[in-house]
């Protein structure tokens, strides 16, 4: 019987609540930005309220952490994917750092503040999460 591979995903923690739950967003290299948005370089925060769409765009190789780490591909943080995760559950699924997960670094304050501002003003982020931001 073959052992199924572990689920693998990355997430960016935006807030820790009561040391029990994290508010996080899941980065994706999948581009779901509508074709009508021609140039995401103008602003990394893409908001289309009438389509209930929001996204924070990270250009490939843009330094995003305090230790000079960058995503190798264009990366998108979608407002509707913002969610709360119980820390205990994450620790059960991914118990060993370096084997089950890798800590990449801390977001630079500029990038962190841009993401928070983007999601706080987004039409597609749930109100309960906006209040937490």
């Amino acid at each position: 019987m073959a052992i199924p591979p572990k689920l693998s995903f990355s997430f960016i923690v935006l807030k820790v609540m009561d040391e029990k739950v994290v508010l996080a967003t899941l980065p994706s290299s999948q581009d779901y930005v509508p074709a009508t948005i021609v140039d995401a370089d103008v602003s990394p925060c893409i908001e289309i309220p009438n389509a209930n769409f929001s996204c924070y765009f990270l250009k490939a190789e843009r330094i995003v952490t305090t230790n000079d780490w960058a995503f190798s591909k264009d990366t998108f943080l979608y407002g509707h994917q913002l969610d709360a995760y119980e820390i205990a559950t994450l620790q059960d699924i991914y118990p060993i750092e370096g084997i089950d997960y890798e800590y990449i670094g801390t977001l630079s304050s500029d990038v962190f503040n841009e993401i928070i501002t983007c999601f706080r003003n987004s039409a597609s982020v749930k109100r309960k999460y906006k209040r937490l931001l």
Side-chain angles (χ1 to χ4, degrees), residues 45-48 52-56 77-80 118-119 122-125:
C45 184
I46 303 166
E47 179 73 24
I48 308 170
N52 198 29
F53 179 88
S54 73
C55 168
Y56 185 85
L77 310 177
Y78 296 103
H80 70 276
C118 184
F119 286 160
S122 169
S124 69
V125 172

Side-chain angles (χ1 to χ4, degrees), residues 35-98:
T36 56
I37 303 298
V38 178
D39 190 5
D41 291 328
V42 173
S43 171
C45 184
I46 303 166
E47 179 73 24
I48 308 170
N50 59 346
N52 198 29
F53 179 88
S54 73
C55 168
Y56 185 85
F57 173 68
L58 294 162
K59 187 83 173 148
E61 305 305 326
R62 175 185 176 193
I63 303 295
V64 295
T65 66
T66 56
N67 62 343
D68 297 332
W69 186 86
F71 288 99
S72 59
K73 297 179 179 179
D74 285 348
T75 301
F76 305 85
L77 310 177
Y78 296 103
H80 70 276
Q81 290 182 339
L82 190 62
D83 208 350
Y85 301 89
E86 289 188 26
I87 294 172
T89 302
L90 293 173
Q91 288 172 333
D92 285 345
I93 297 170
Y94 305 103
I96 304 170
E97 183 176 357

Side-chain angles (χ1 to χ4, degrees), residues 105-120:
T106 301
L107 286 174
S108 70
S109 59
D110 289 346
V111 172
F112 179 77
N113 290 330
E114 288 173 3
I115 293 169
I116 296 296
T117 300
C118 184
F119 286 160
R120 189 181 290 144

Side-chain angles (χ1 to χ4, degrees), residues 2-17:
I3 298 172
K6 279 197 168 193
L7 291 174
S8 176
F9 70 95
S10 61
F11 62 95
I12 296 173
V13 174
L14 300 176
K15 183 162 183 138
V16 178
M17 299 168 289

